[in-house]
């Protein structure tokens, strides 16, 4: 029989009940047990983790600066450096940027470094364990302030692995312009997705930040950056290599228009 | 390398709220290159991670503050040895943190032994140091959970801390069950990936 659905393994790790036929498979499949045990360990660590990290007291930063002999503003604002500008993804002759023709091969999987002792016991306990439902209310959904859509774009897939188009909207908020990106069709890959604004000539670009795991995110347009100057919204897959430049591996792109 | 155009130069050339837009990798690169603004930003992003780990491992506020200071001073002075391809900057900071925590416990037991020798009494049973690796992993998870974005973080918190099933979460958030399941799967995968990337002992 086929392996358990990844979602099923995630639910097992959380201690939820799963369909009997999947549970039966899980008991006898080393691969699925291994995956479930890893996820269960993540859940255990998460449940042991504090709700929030206790920040260091203020004097610690002063102590660091004093010990290192750093002068100037406490936030280092008088010592700004200019990181390298990422190289542009592509420079088409004009008009809308064209998708890169290169299909980037999958990165090899990382070596696993997990200790996997007691898997069967861990998973067995999860499957058999009873759950206590907390009665706490999750709170209200929170109301969104009114924001005006000033530009939007359909994000066209540039890679066959992206199942469908996404969308982006530029909203005028009280704190300035923000870009809301919905790219839920992006595949799960090693690394992270970075959102960029690029100018029409595809020669200049501004990094907006990493797309959260759900592939829906809101990003602040940096003050001084105009959507009119940087109308192309690009999403690239970035390897975890510490290199801040654009990977040139764009998966989705669209032109923001009013 | 191209020249920075004015808006981009302004963006990178000012600090504070704007620097917060940089990716972790960009901050790490600036840190390694000796950019003091990147040190400030790295401290802003990850001192909580370091401090919370030290606090849980020592159970003492002063020791935790001392360790946090030492970690950032060590990291800045040793920044040339940081290799981005071997792991993230917060992962590296946590490695240093674990070493300083080990030093802390080593010193405590040495003090206890010396005291026992001076007083000619039996040495006290060695205190068992906490599992700093595990504590670091817990803090890393708390940190990563914060970065999931919404509604993923909220969904996972409800699953972790309120013990709600995916159907209950879907019900409360008025989201389709499939959406909630998909967020749970992707978030757990991402948390697991972070643990693997940081090479945390699990």
């Amino acid at each position: 029989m086929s392996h358990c659905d990844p979602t099923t393994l995630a639910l097992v790790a959380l201690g939820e009940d799963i369909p009997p036929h999947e549970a039966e498979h899980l008991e006898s499949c080393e691969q699925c047990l291994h995956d479930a045990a890893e996820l269960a360990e993540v859940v255990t660590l998460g449940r042991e983790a504090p709700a929030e990290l206790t920040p260091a007291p203020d004097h610690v930063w002063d102590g660091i600066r004093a010990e290192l002999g750093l002068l100037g503003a406490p936030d280092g604002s008088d010592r700004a450096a200019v990181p390298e500008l990422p190289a542009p993804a592509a420079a088409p002759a004009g008009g809308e940027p064209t998708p890169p023709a290169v299909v980037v091969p999958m990165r090899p999987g990382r070596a696993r470094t997990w200790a996997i002792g007691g898997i069967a016991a861990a998973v067995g306990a999860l499957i058999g364990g009873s759950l206590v439902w907390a009665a706490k209310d999750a709170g209200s959904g929170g109301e969104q302030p009114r924001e005006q859509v000033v530009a939007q774009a359909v994000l066209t897939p540039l890679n066959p692995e992206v199942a469908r188009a996404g969308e982006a909207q530029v909203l005028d908020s009280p704190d300035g312009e923000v870009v809301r990106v919905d790219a839920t069709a992006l595949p799960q890959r090693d690394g992270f997705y970075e959102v960029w604004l690029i100018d029409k000539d595809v020669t200049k670009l501004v990094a907006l930040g990493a797309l959260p795991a759900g592939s829906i995110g809101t990003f602040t347009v940096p003050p001084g950056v105009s959507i009119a100057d940087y109308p192309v919204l690009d999403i690239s897959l970035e390897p975890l290599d510490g290199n801040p430049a654009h990977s040139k591996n764009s998966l989705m792109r669209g032109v923001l228009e009013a | 390398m191209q020249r920075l155009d004015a808006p981009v130069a302004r963006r990178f050339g000012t600090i504070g709220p704007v620097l917060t837009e940089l990716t972790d990798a960009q901050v790490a690169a600036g840190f390694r290159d000796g950019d003091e603004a990147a040190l400030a930003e790295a401290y802003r992003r990850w001192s909580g991670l370091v401090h919370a780990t030290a606090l849980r491992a020592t159970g003492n506020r002063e020791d935790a503050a001392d360790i946090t200071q030492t970690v950032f001073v060590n990291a800045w002075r040793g920044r040339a040895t940081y290799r981005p391809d071997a792991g993230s900057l917060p992962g590296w900071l946590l490695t240093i943190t674990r070493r300083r925590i080990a030093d802390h416990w080593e010193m405590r037991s040495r003090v206890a032994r010396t005291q026992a020798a001076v007083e000619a009494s039996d040495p006290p049973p060695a205190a068992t140091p906490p599992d700093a690796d595990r504590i670091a992993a817990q803090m890393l998870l708390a940190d990563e959970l914060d970065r999931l974005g919404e509604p993923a973080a909220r969904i996972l918190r409800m699953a972790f801390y309120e013990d709600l099933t995916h159907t209950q979460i879907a019900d409360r958030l008025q989201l389709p069950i499939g959406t909630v399941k998909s967020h749970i799967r992707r978030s757990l995968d991402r948390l697991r990936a972070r643990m693997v990337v940081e090479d945390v002992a699990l």
Side-chain angles (χ1 to χ4, degrees), chain A residues 6-7 10-11 14 16 35 38-39 41-50 53-57 59-61 63-64 67-68 70 75-77 79-85 88 110-111 113-115 132-134 136-141 184 186 188 194 203-208 212-215 220 222 224-225 230 240-242 244, chain B residues 1-5 7-8 10-13 15-16 18 21 23 25-26 29 35-37 39-40 43 48-49 51-52 55-56 65 68-69 72-73 76-77 84-85 134 137-139 141-143 147-150 154 157-166 168 172 181 183-186 188-192 195-197 199-200 202:
Chain A
T7 307
L11 294 179
L14 282 165
E16 292 205 29
D35 287 348
E38 281 194 356
L39 292 171
E41 183 61 8
V42 167
V43 171
T44 304
L45 282 170
R47 287 183 169 150
E48 289 169 359
L53 301 173
T54 313
H59 68 81
V60 173
W61 177 235
I64 291 167
E67 196 172 342
L68 290 173
L70 302 180
D75 62 355
S77 60
R79 298 295 297 264
V82 181
E84 288 180 354
L85 180 68
R110 279 173 186 276
T113 56
W114 301 66
V132 180
W133 309 123
K136 269 183 282 176
D137 192 3
S140 69
T184 44
L186 285 170
Q188 265 202 292
E194 177 93 31
T203 56
K204 301 184 289 190
L205 61 170
V206 177
L208 291 186
S215 289
T220 304
V225 173
Y230 291 82
L240 292 167
D241 58 3
Chain B
M1 189 47 57
Q2 302 175 54
R3 293 296 312 151
L4 287 168
D5 63 301
V8 180
R10 260 207 303 284
R11 183 174 121 64
F12 285 136
I15 305 300
V18 179
E21 300 288 323
T23 63
Q26 288 170 322
D35 173 6
E36 289 172 20
L39 167 64
Y43 183 83
L49 196 56
H51 179 257
L55 186 58
R56 197 175 262 203
T68 305
Q69 177 167 332
F72 277 88
V73 168
W76 185 250
R77 290 192 173 139
D85 55 331
R134 186 163 189 89
Q138 291 161 354
M139 300 307 154
L141 252 165
D143 183 54
R147 293 158 174 259
L148 284 177
E150 298 301 347
R154 185 159 185 204
R157 286 206 167 91
M158 291 169 87
F160 279 2
Y161 306 125
E162 298 179 47
D163 260 343
L164 298 175
T165 62
H166 68 281
Q168 290 171 315
R172 296 215 181 168
K181 283 209 284 196
H183 275 300
I184 286 174
R185 177 180 64 75
R186 295 182 65 160
L188 283 185
D189 276 349
R190 173 166 159 174
L191 295 177
R192 170 167 66 164
M195 296 295 110
V196 172
V197 165
D199 199 10
V200 176
L202 287 169

Side-chain angles (χ1 to χ4, degrees), chain A residues 37-182:
Chain A
E38 281 194 356
L39 292 171
E41 183 61 8
V42 167
V43 171
T44 304
L45 282 170
R47 287 183 169 150
E48 289 169 359
E52 54 187 59
L53 301 173
T54 313
D58 291 343
H59 68 81
V60 173
W61 177 235
D62 297 334
I64 291 167
R65 289 175 55 240
E67 196 172 342
L68 290 173
L70 302 180
L71 305 168
D75 62 355
S77 60
D78 54 340
R79 298 295 297 264
V82 181
E84 288 180 354
L85 180 68
E96 288 202 8
T98 49
V102 183
V103 177
V104 173
M106 296 283 284
R107 289 150 53 82
R110 279 173 186 276
R112 293 261 166 95
T113 56
W114 301 66
I116 53 170
I119 293 169
V123 176
L126 284 166
I127 296 170
S130 62
L131 297 173
V132 180
W133 309 123
K136 269 183 282 176
D137 192 3
S140 69
E143 280 175 36
Q144 297 286 336
R146 282 245 157 160
E147 290 164 327
Q148 188 132 23
V149 178
V150 294
Q152 50 195 336
V154 173
L155 303 175
T156 311
L158 304 181
N159 181 305
E161 281 191 71
V162 184
R164 60 178 189 281
E167 69 180 343
Q169 291 181 320
V170 181
L171 305 166
D172 209 4
S173 81
D175 302 325
E177 282 185 339
V178 297
V179 183
R180 198 171 282 162
V181 175
D182 180 339

Side-chain angles (χ1 to χ4, degrees), chain A residues 2 5 159 203 227:
Chain A
S2 59
D5 182 75
N159 181 305
T203 56
I227 295 296

Side-chain angles (χ1 to χ4, degrees), chain B residues 52-60 67 101 104-105 108 129-132 135:
Chain B
T53 301
L55 186 58
R56 197 175 262 203
T58 63
N60 180 302
I67 288 173
I101 289 169
H104 168 86
W105 282 93
R108 274 179 62 158
D131 184 345
I135 292 170

